[in-house]
Amino acid sequence: MKRLLLLTLLLIQPLMTEAKSDDHIMVIINKSSDIEQLSKSQVKNIFMGTVSVDNIVPLGLPPGEVARSIFNVRVIGLTESRIRSYWAQMRFSGRLKEPDNASGIDDLIINIRSASNTIGYVPENTPLPDDIKVVFRSSEQ
Amino acid sequence: MKMLKKHLSPFLLAASAACCSAPSVTWANSDSDFQISGFGRLVAGYLDTGDAAYLDYSDKVTFDSQSLAALQVDWQVIDKVSVTAQLLAHSNDAKDSGIEWLYLTYHINDDWQLRVGKQRTPFFNYSDVRNVGFAYHWINLPQQLYNGVLFPTYEGINLNYRFGNDEIQGSVETYWGSYNDSYEIAETQIKPDVSNLHGIIGRLQRQNLRFSLAFHRGDIDVALDELTAFSNILRSAGYGVSADSLSPVGKVEVLTTSLGYHSFDYFAEAEIMKLAGEPTAFPDMIGGYISAGIYSPPMTYHVTLASSSVTYDKPVNEIPLGLSPELDQLYYGYDSVYQRFKRDSLNSLAVGVRYDFSANFALKADVSLLRGQGKQRAFFEVKNEQFDNTATLYQLAVEWVF
C-alpha cells in the first residue's frame, strides 16, 4: 500500500492550467486544404469525433497546455476531466479513438505544415508560417 | 481460471500502474500498428452492518471486491481492419479474470463500423465501460440497472452507423449474438443460455444534450436444473398449466431510455429500464436513476437517486389442497419454489466527490444509503435473518487510465 501511495505521488501532475477570461485560440490548417472556414460546432464535432468532416484529422495539445484549457472552455464547453472521461469511455468501448496530441505548439505547427488534412489549435496571435491558414477564431464568436 | 488470475493480477496491476503516467504505448511499422492502453482501479469499501454484505462489502474494510486492472491491445491489421483484445484481472475471486473483449473491427468508412467477436452488451450508457471507473463519476454504477439480471457480454456482430450535421449528431447501433457464461447477483451465480440476443440503440446529441432509446430481446433458458426437475414432476402428475408456469425457457425483452446534459459547470443524467421476461423464474423489473452534479475543476460533486422494483408473474398453482398428503406436498413445493425467486427492489441515495488530480488519475469518495424494499433480497447477501434491508456503504477509490 505504501508503495502504491508513493508511486501515485510520484506520478501526479497538475491537471488544470487556468485560462484567463480574455484568452482565445485559433484553429489552423495547411493552406493547401480546400477548407476556408469552420463553425464552432464543426470544430467541436471534429475534435470530439461525433461527425467526420472531409477526412480532416484533428491534432490536439497535451493536458496542461494553456491553449488546450482555452480550447476546452471556448469550443468544447466541457471540463478537462469530463473530456478525459468521455475519451476513456469511447476508447474502451471501441467506438472512437481520441485524437493524437502533438508534444507542443511547435510540434503541432510542424505536423500541420506537412499534412494537408490535419487541423489543430494554437493561442490567438501565435506567429504562423505562410503555408498555414486560420479557419476559426474563438474571439470572433 | 484461478491459476490464470493468480498470474494475471500481479502482472496487470504492475503493468497498469507503471504505464499510467504515460500516454498509451504504440509500436508502429509499415505493415502493422500495435497500441497498448489500459485502466485500473483500487477500491476500498466498508458496509456499516455485519448482518449482510453488499457487492461483497461487509463490516470490515476490504480492497478485494472491485479492484481490478486491465490491458487493451489494439492491432491495426490493415488500413480498415483492427483487432482489439482486453485482458482483465479482478481482485475478487468470485469474478472471472481473463479475456473480457476480443473482437475484430471493420471500419467500412467514416460513418459505418462493423465489429465481430466477444463484446460487452450495450444495454445502458455505461455498460460497455462498466469496469472503467475513470469513465464515470461514481465508484459504483447504480446497481438497480448495472448489476441487474442482464447478461454482461455477448459473442456476435455489432453494426454502428453515425450521422449528423453541425446541429444534431446521432448514431444507430444494432447487434446480434448469444451469451453462454455465468455472472453473479448478490451471492447467486447465474448461468443462462441466451440465444438470438439482439438489439437496436438510437442515440441523438444536440450540443450538450444527449438522448438514447434502445430495445433488446433474447431467447433465454435460465438453466436451473431444480426448476426443470420440479416442472417435469408437475407435468407427469397431470398439472401441465402449473408445469408450464415454471418453464425456464422464453423471451426476455428490455426497453431503455436515457437523457443527459453536461455543461462546463454542471451535469444531470437519467436512465430508465423496463425488463420483461417470459420465464417465471426471470423477473420483470423497472429500474432507473437520476444523477446530478457540479463541475468545479478539478473537483466534481454529485448526488444520485436510484430505484428498482421487481415482480414475478403470478403463480398458477392448480394443484388441489387437502385431497392427499402427496398432492399437498406438491402444492407446497410449488409455493416454495415460487417464494424462492429473488427480488431485488432497492432504493438508494448516493453522494460523492471526484478529484481529477492528473490527466490520467482520479480519486473518488462515495457514500451510498441503501434501503431494500420489504424483506426482499435487494442485492444484499443476507447473513442474519433479522437484517432490516438498510445499510450505508462507504467507499474510496483511485481510478486510472493510460
Side-chain angles (χ1 to χ4, degrees):
Chain A
M1 192 60 198
K2 277 183 180 174
R3 280 188 179 178
L4 182 71
L5 281 173
L6 183 61
L7 181 66
T8 302
L9 289 170
L10 286 172
L11 294 173
I12 59 174
Q13 310 158 20
L15 176 61
M16 294 302 299
T17 306
E18 290 295 326
K20 294 175 188 169
S21 60
D22 56 350
D23 285 339
H24 284 279
I25 55 94
M26 53 189 182
V27 175
I28 57 175
I29 196 167
N30 192 298
K31 228 168 203 170
S32 64
S33 168
D34 294 336
I35 293 170
E36 297 299 329
Q37 197 162 14
L38 291 171
S39 68
K40 181 177 163 182
S41 297
Q42 283 176 312
V43 176
K44 179 178 176 179
N45 291 336
I46 290 167
F47 276 87
M48 297 301 276
T50 44
V51 173
S52 55
V53 178
D54 295 336
N55 294 319
I56 288 179
V57 178
L59 183 65
L61 290 170
E65 280 278 348
V66 175
R68 180 177 169 116
S69 300
I70 303 167
F71 184 75
N72 290 346
V73 176
R74 302 279 184 202
V75 179
I76 304 296
L78 295 172
T79 61
E80 179 67 35
S81 62
R82 173 62 194 154
I83 293 169
R84 300 293 304 168
S85 295
Y86 169 82
W87 282 116
Q89 179 171 14
M90 292 300 115
R91 159 168 283 280
F92 295 114
S93 64
R95 287 186 223 162
L96 291 170
K97 285 185 180 173
E98 184 177 4
D100 288 336
N101 288 329
S103 60
I105 290 169
D106 291 342
D107 183 41
L108 184 127
I109 289 175
I110 291 169
N111 272 280
I112 290 178
R113 293 185 76 181
S114 62
S116 63
N117 62 343
T118 300
I119 192 171
Y121 53 83
V122 293
E124 196 167 43
N125 303 323
T126 300
L128 296 175
D130 291 342
D131 50 0
I132 287 182
K133 62 185 172 185
V134 177
V135 291
F136 172 82
R137 287 179 189 272
S138 64
S139 59
E140 294 175 357
Q141 298 300 300
Chain B
M1 189 55 75
K2 280 187 178 175
M3 283 297 289
L4 176 65
K5 194 172 86 174
K6 195 175 279 185
H7 290 92
L8 270 179
S9 300
F11 169 72
L12 282 180
L13 277 168
S16 182
C19 293
C20 57
S21 66
S24 50
V25 183
T26 303
W27 289 280
N29 60 41
S30 57
D31 300 323
S32 64
D33 186 339
F34 278 98
Q35 191 164 42
I36 294 182
S37 52
F39 56 86
R41 61 188 330 208
L42 186 64
V43 186
Y46 170 80
L47 193 70
D48 70 343
T49 178
D51 294 338
Y54 181 80
L55 291 173
D56 291 332
Y57 292 109
S58 63
D59 58 349
K60 290 179 182 170
V61 175
T62 175
F63 291 83
D64 293 342
S65 175
Q66 291 176 297
S67 299
L68 59 86
L71 287 177
Q72 179 166 311
V73 180
D74 294 287
W75 175 33
Q76 194 70 43
V77 184
I78 55 175
D79 183 32
K80 292 190 170 185
V81 177
S82 61
V83 173
T84 300
Q86 197 178 91
L87 205 58
L88 188 68
H90 287 283
S91 59
N92 190 334
D93 286 339
K95 296 178 181 174
D96 284 342
S97 295
I99 294 174
E100 184 75 0
W101 297 67
L102 181 60
Y103 60 84
L104 181 146
T105 304
Y106 176 44
H107 299 273
I108 301 166
N109 57 38
D110 282 344
D111 299 325
W112 289 89
Q113 185 190 66
L114 179 70
R115 292 198 310 227
V116 181
K118 184 180 179 184
Q119 307 164 60
R120 274 210 165 272
T121 321
F123 283 118
F124 309 114
N125 277 350
Y126 300 102
S127 291
D128 41 15
V129 287
R130 196 173 70 172
N131 293 315
V132 191
F134 194 88
Y136 44 84
H137 53 279
W138 309 277
I139 293 177
N140 295 325
L141 290 162
Q143 296 302 293
Q144 290 87 341
L145 270 70
Y146 288 89
N147 193 23
V149 290
L150 295 170
F151 350 103
T153 58
Y154 71 99
E155 291 181 25
I157 60 172
N158 178 303
L159 184 65
N160 193 62
Y161 170 63
R162 290 194 300 159
F163 59 91
N165 54 35
D166 282 3
E167 293 303 314
I168 294 180
Q169 302 84 43
S171 67
V172 177
E173 181 177 352
T174 62
Y175 69 95
W176 181 87
S178 61
Y179 176 83
N180 188 5
D181 208 339
S182 61
Y183 60 103
E184 192 184 51
I185 304 175
E187 75 279 27
T188 309
Q189 280 283 336
I190 299 163
K191 191 175 181 185
D193 188 355
V194 187
S195 59
N196 193 25
L197 175 62
H198 56 280
I200 182 165
I201 306 108
R203 301 183 183 91
L204 281 177
Q205 177 176 348
R206 187 175 188 277
Q207 296 181 355
N208 296 328
L209 187 65
R210 292 177 178 210
F211 169 76
S212 74
L213 182 64
F215 179 73
H216 311 263
R217 174 185 278 171
D219 298 325
I220 188 170
D221 180 348
V222 290
L224 295 172
D225 292 341
E226 288 178 12
L227 193 68
T228 305
F230 187 70
S231 179
N232 289 339
I233 291 171
L234 288 174
R235 198 178 306 283
S236 62
Y239 300 107
V241 176
S242 292
D244 288 345
S245 74
L246 294 181
S247 170
V249 178
K251 278 190 169 42
V252 170
E253 293 182 338
V254 188
L255 185 66
T256 69
T257 185
S258 73
L259 190 64
Y261 184 85
H262 287 257
S263 77
F264 197 83
D265 302 311
Y266 63 90
F267 71 92
E269 55 186 43
E271 283 190 87
I272 299 172
M273 162 193 78
K274 178 164 174 42
L275 163 68
E278 276 182 358
T280 303
F282 204 84
D284 292 339
M285 186 172 188
I286 294 176
Y289 71 85
I290 182 164
S291 184
I294 296 169
Y295 293 121
S296 178
M299 312 298 287
T300 304
Y301 307 95
H302 56 89
V303 58
T304 300
L305 277 169
S307 181
S308 62
S309 177
V310 170
T311 56
Y312 286 90
D313 291 342
K314 286 186 177 172
V316 189
N317 195 341
E318 57 181 343
I319 306 151
L321 191 59
L323 287 184
S324 73
E326 291 79 11
L327 285 177
D328 286 357
Q329 198 175 4
L330 214 51
Y331 177 94
Y332 288 116
Y334 182 97
D335 211 34
S336 168
V337 166
Y338 186 81
Q339 293 302 327
R340 280 162 58 193
F341 294 155
K342 304 297 185 187
R343 290 160 174 79
D344 291 310
S345 300
L346 175 70
N347 295 325
S348 66
L349 169 67
V351 292
V353 58
R354 170 177 170 146
Y355 170 37
D356 284 86
F357 62 91
S358 88
N360 299 324
F361 275 99
L363 285 175
K364 294 178 183 173
D366 282 8
V367 177
S368 305
L369 309 176
L370 310 164
R371 301 286 181 270
Q373 295 175 18
K375 291 300 289 179
Q376 300 189 12
R377 179 176 65 174
F379 300 111
F380 285 108
E381 185 182 336
V382 179
K383 297 174 179 174
N384 181 348
E385 289 304 318
Q386 302 304 312
F387 177 56
D388 63 357
N389 271 14
T390 298
T392 303
L393 177 65
Y394 302 88
Q395 290 176 291
L396 291 171
V398 184
E399 315 266 14
W400 65 88
V401 293
F402 68 90

